[in-house]
Amino acid sequence: MNKPLVVIFAAICLDAVGISLIFPILPRLLEDVTHSQDIASYIGIMTALYAAMQFVFAPVLGALSDSLGRRPVLLISLAGAAVNYLIMAFAPQLWMLLLGRAIAGLTSANASVATAYITDISSENERARRFGLLSAMFGMGFIVGPVLGGLLGDYWLRLPFIAAAILNGCNLLLALFVLPESRTPSRQKIDLAVLNPLRPLRWVFSMKRLLPIVLVYFILSATGEAYGTCWALWGFDTFRWNGLWIGLSLGAFGICQTLVQALLPGPATRVLGERWAVVVGIACACAALVAMAFASQGWIAFAIMPIFALAGIGTPAFQALATRQVDPSRQGELQGVLTSAISLASIISPLAFSTFYFVVQKDWPGAIWLSVVAIYVAAVPLVLLGTRTARAARLASA
C-alpha cells in the first residue's frame, strides 16, 4: 500500500474517532446547557444545522479541490473541525454550540475530498476495494471513539470535546507534513460560477445515468441519520445506559462494521452484483431494526450487531459505480454532489426522526426503529431501478 493511501486512511480514522467521541455525551451536554430533559429536538436541530452548512459548501469545496488540489481543501476542513470542537468544549450557551456545529458543517470536506483523492491515485479495478477499506477505517475510528468518549464523559462532560480537538489537530499536522497532492492544481483563474453551490446539482440532474445513484444515496443516507440522532437517547430511555455503555454499544457496532467493510464488499459484489448486494444489505438492516424495536434487554442490541453491520455491503459498490459515470477531471465535483445529496437527507432526517422520537419517547422508544424499516421498505423499488439503470449504462459503455 502506497504512502499517500496510508495517510488518507489514517486521517479518516482519526476523523472518525474525533466525531464519535462526542456521541455518548451529547445528550447530557445539551441537558446541561439547555436545563431541559426533552433534548431530542435539540439534537435534531444541531444535526440538521451541520448538514445544512455541509449541503451548501460541500459541492463548492469539492469543485475547489478540482481546481486548487485536494490537499489545501482537506487542510481547511481539518482546521475547521478542530475549531468546532474547541468551541463546543467551552460553550456555556446553546447558541455557541450551534455556532460550532455550523463551522464544522461549513468546512466538512473530509469524506468527499478523501474519496476524490483515492479516485485520483487508484485504477478503476482498485476503487471498490479501496473504498471498502476507507469505510473500514472510518469504522475502526468508531470502535475507539465512542468507548473513549463514554469514559472521558463520565469523568468530565467537556473532556471528550477537548480530546476531539486534539485528535483533529494531530490529523491536521499529519496531512500538512506527510500528505502529497494527488493532482496537479489548475493554473487558471478560478471561475466564480464554480462557487455557486447549486451549479453541481444542476449538473448532476442533467446526467440521467447518474441521477438514480444520487437518489439511492439520498434515501440510504436519510435512514442512516436515525442512528446518530436517536441511538444515545434510545439506549438511555430503554436500558438506562450511561455514557460508557452507550460508547461500548457504538464501539461494538464499529467492530462489526469494520470487519464487514474490510472483508465483504468485494466478494458480495462479485457473488450478488451491485443491485442485490444493496437489497441484501437492506434486508439485514430491517431484521436488526425490528429486533431493536422490541428489545427489552441491552444484550439483544449487542447480539444483533453483526447482522446490522451487513447493511453496509453495498455502499462501496455504489461508490465505485458512481465514479465511472464521470471523467477524472470532475471527480471532486462528483464527490461534492454526492456529499450534498447525503447532506440534504441529513437536513430533513434528523428533524423528522427527532420529532418522531419525542412523540414515542415515553410510551415506546423502540418505535423509532420501525419508522426506519418503513423507509427502507419503501426505498427498495428505487434501489432496484437505480442499480439496474446504472448497470445497463455501464454495460452499454463497455
Side-chain angles (χ1 to χ4, degrees):
M1 187 178 296
N2 57 48
K3 185 177 178 180
L5 201 59
V6 172
V7 175
I8 283 290
F9 286 159
I12 287 296
C13 184
L14 287 175
D15 189 46
V17 171
I19 292 172
S20 58
L21 268 172
I22 70 172
F23 286 167
I25 50 86
L26 184 57
R28 284 189 291 155
L29 177 65
L30 286 170
E31 288 180 1
D32 181 65
V33 171
T34 63
H35 307 291
S36 171
Q37 293 186 342
D38 297 326
I39 46 85
S41 59
Y42 291 117
I43 292 179
I45 291 171
M46 287 191 69
T47 307
L49 175 63
Y50 177 93
M53 297 298 289
Q54 190 181 58
F55 172 72
V56 173
F57 288 98
V60 177
L61 294 177
L64 287 177
S65 77
D66 286 335
S67 300
L68 303 179
R70 316 298 185 202
R71 187 172 179 272
V73 176
L74 184 61
L75 294 177
I76 292 172
S77 172
L78 294 173
V83 170
N84 157 59
Y85 290 123
L86 284 176
I87 292 175
M88 296 184 73
F90 300 102
Q93 296 179 341
L94 179 61
W95 72 265
M96 295 185 69
L97 293 179
L98 296 176
L99 175 63
R101 294 308 290 162
I103 293 173
L106 188 151
T107 60
S108 59
N110 296 30
S112 61
V113 176
T115 305
Y117 193 103
I118 290 176
T119 301
D120 291 338
I121 64 174
S122 306
S123 66
E124 288 191 0
N125 293 333
E126 295 174 320
R127 288 175 188 170
R129 181 177 63 86
R130 288 183 174 180
F131 288 151
L133 289 173
L134 185 69
S135 297
M137 292 301 103
F138 198 83
M140 287 181 64
F142 265 85
I143 297 171
V144 178
V147 178
L148 187 59
L151 284 171
L152 296 177
D154 285 343
Y155 180 76
W156 179 36
L157 192 56
R158 306 278 180 154
L159 192 55
F161 297 95
I162 297 175
I166 293 173
L167 284 174
N168 274 273
C170 294
N171 204 346
L172 175 63
L173 292 175
L174 181 67
L176 180 63
F177 292 109
V178 181
L179 187 68
E181 179 56 64
S182 64
R183 57 181 282 115
T184 303
S186 173
R187 299 293 183 180
Q188 298 178 352
K189 184 178 179 180
I190 298 177
D191 183 4
L192 294 180
V194 173
L195 302 181
N196 178 3
L198 299 179
R199 182 184 180 188
L201 295 178
R202 292 198 301 267
W203 166 64
V204 76
F205 275 102
S206 69
M207 299 185 65
K208 293 183 179 179
R209 63 181 180 180
L210 189 60
L211 185 57
I213 298 294
V214 177
L215 291 176
V216 169
Y217 261 85
F218 175 86
I219 291 175
L220 296 183
S221 177
T223 58
E225 287 299 317
Y227 314 130
T229 304
C230 302
W231 184 274
L233 294 168
W234 170 74
F236 177 80
D237 292 333
T238 305
F239 311 122
R240 294 300 167 186
W241 281 344
N242 60 12
L244 175 59
W245 277 104
I246 292 172
L248 288 173
S249 67
L250 292 170
F253 178 75
I255 293 174
C256 297
Q257 184 184 54
T258 298
L259 292 174
V260 167
Q261 295 286 2
L263 301 176
L264 295 185
T269 300
R270 287 194 297 271
V271 173
L272 302 172
E274 292 94 348
R275 128 195 281 203
W276 291 109
V278 178
V279 172
V280 169
I282 288 176
C284 292
C286 289
L289 287 166
V290 170
M292 287 165 55
F294 293 97
S296 58
Q297 299 182 34
W299 67 266
I300 297 176
F302 286 86
I304 55 90
M305 282 181 185
I307 299 174
F308 201 179
L310 290 173
I313 61 176
T315 302
F318 258 118
Q319 289 177 305
L321 192 61
T323 62
R324 289 195 292 268
Q325 308 304 311
V326 300
D327 60 69
S329 66
R330 305 194 75 173
Q331 289 296 329
E333 191 170 7
L334 169 65
Q335 298 305 326
V337 167
L338 293 179
T339 301
S340 282
I342 294 171
S343 299
L344 184 59
S346 301
I347 295 170
I348 301 170
S349 297
L351 297 174
F353 284 124
S354 63
T355 300
F356 183 72
Y357 189 85
F358 179 77
V359 172
V360 303
Q361 183 174 17
K362 294 181 180 180
D363 297 324
W364 185 17
I368 186 66
W369 306 128
L370 295 184
S371 70
V372 182
V373 171
I375 295 174
Y376 269 133
V377 171
V380 168
L382 180 59
V383 170
L384 293 174
L385 175 63
T387 50
R388 183 179 64 184
T389 302
R391 182 173 183 272
R394 185 184 65 181
L395 293 175
S397 61

